[in-house]
Amino acid sequence: MPAVTSLHLEKFQESERRLTPQRRAVLKAFLELSQEHPTAEAIYRAARRHCPTVGMATVYRSLELFVQKGIIVKAPTLNGTARYEMNKIPHNHFVCLKCGRTYEFLIKQEPVVDRDIKKDGFEVISASMIFFGYCPACQE
Ligand SMILES: [Zn+2]
Ligand SMILES: [Zn+2]
C-alpha cells in the first residue's frame, strides 16, 4: 500500500514539547497506532503503558484537542465507533466488513462531483471515497 503523506507532522513535534506527561503519552500512543486507525480505547491502552496515570477522560480530551489543532482527524468507520488517523492529504479508504480494519489508498482519480452538490451552491475543496468489502486476509 502506498504511504499517504502527513499534513501536520511538524505541528505534532511542536506541540509535543508543550504537552503534559499524560497528553504526551496519548500522542505517543496515537503515533504508534496511527496506521491502524485506532479507537480511543486502543489509544488509552497503549498510553497507559507510557504513563500509568492516564485516564480515559484525558484520552478523550487530548484527542479532541489534537483534532482541533488539525493534527489528527476522525477516520471513516463501519459502525460509528470513532477512529482516529493523522491529518493527511485526502485519500480513499477501504473498510473491511469482517475484521473492521481500515486501509488507505492514494487517490489516483478524483471522484466525480455529484451534480446536486454544485447545483445547490456548495464549493468542493476535496473529496475521497470509502469502499466497503472484504480485505485479502478475510477472504480466505
Ligand atoms: Zn478484513
Ligand atoms: Zn486514512
Side-chain angles (χ1 to χ4, degrees), residues 25-53:
V26 175
L27 186 57
K28 204 170 168 192
F30 167 74
L31 282 172
E32 285 166 1
L33 301 170
S34 67
Q35 285 307 315
E36 300 168 23
H37 300 71
T39 61
E41 185 70 40
I43 295 166
Y44 167 73
R45 282 196 303 269
R48 296 277 288 196
R49 287 200 296 270
H50 301 301
C51 180
T53 59

Side-chain angles (χ1 to χ4, degrees), residues 12 15-31 43 47-48 50-69 71-72:
F12 249 115
S15 55
E16 213 173 351
R17 284 198 295 271
R18 297 191 301 260
L19 293 174
T20 62
Q22 284 82 9
R23 288 220 161 125
R24 198 175 304 127
V26 175
L27 186 57
K28 204 170 168 192
F30 167 74
L31 282 172
I43 295 166
R48 296 277 288 196
H50 301 301
C51 180
T53 59
V54 169
M56 200 63 213
T58 308
V59 172
Y60 279 121
R61 274 201 304 272
S62 305
L63 291 174
E64 220 165 275
L65 176 83
F66 300 151
V67 169
Q68 275 170 22
K69 285 185 160 197
I71 295 163
I72 67 175

Side-chain angles (χ1 to χ4, degrees), residues 30 33-40 43 63 67 71-88 91-95 100-104 128-130 132:
F30 167 74
L33 301 170
S34 67
Q35 285 307 315
E36 300 168 23
H37 300 71
T39 61
I43 295 166
L63 291 174
V67 169
I71 295 163
I72 67 175
V73 291
K74 284 190 180 159
T77 53
L78 187 57
N79 54 11
T81 309
R83 285 176 175 270
Y84 299 88
E85 65 171 334
M86 210 156 348
N87 189 8
K88 294 180 279 198
H91 52 278
N92 291 331
H93 288 97
F94 180 96
V95 177
R101 250 185 229 129
T102 303
Y103 300 84
E104 39 194 43
S128 65
M129 294 177 91
I130 311 168
F132 297 96

Side-chain angles (χ1 to χ4, degrees), residues 96 98-100 103 134-135 138:
C96 179
K98 196 168 171 197
C99 67
Y103 300 84
Y134 300 100
C135 75
C138 288

Side-chain angles (χ1 to χ4, degrees), residues 3-7 85-92 105-107:
V4 183
T5 320
S6 161
L7 280 179
E85 65 171 334
M86 210 156 348
N87 189 8
K88 294 180 279 198
I89 58 165
H91 52 278
N92 291 331
F105 297 90
L106 290 169
I107 297 173

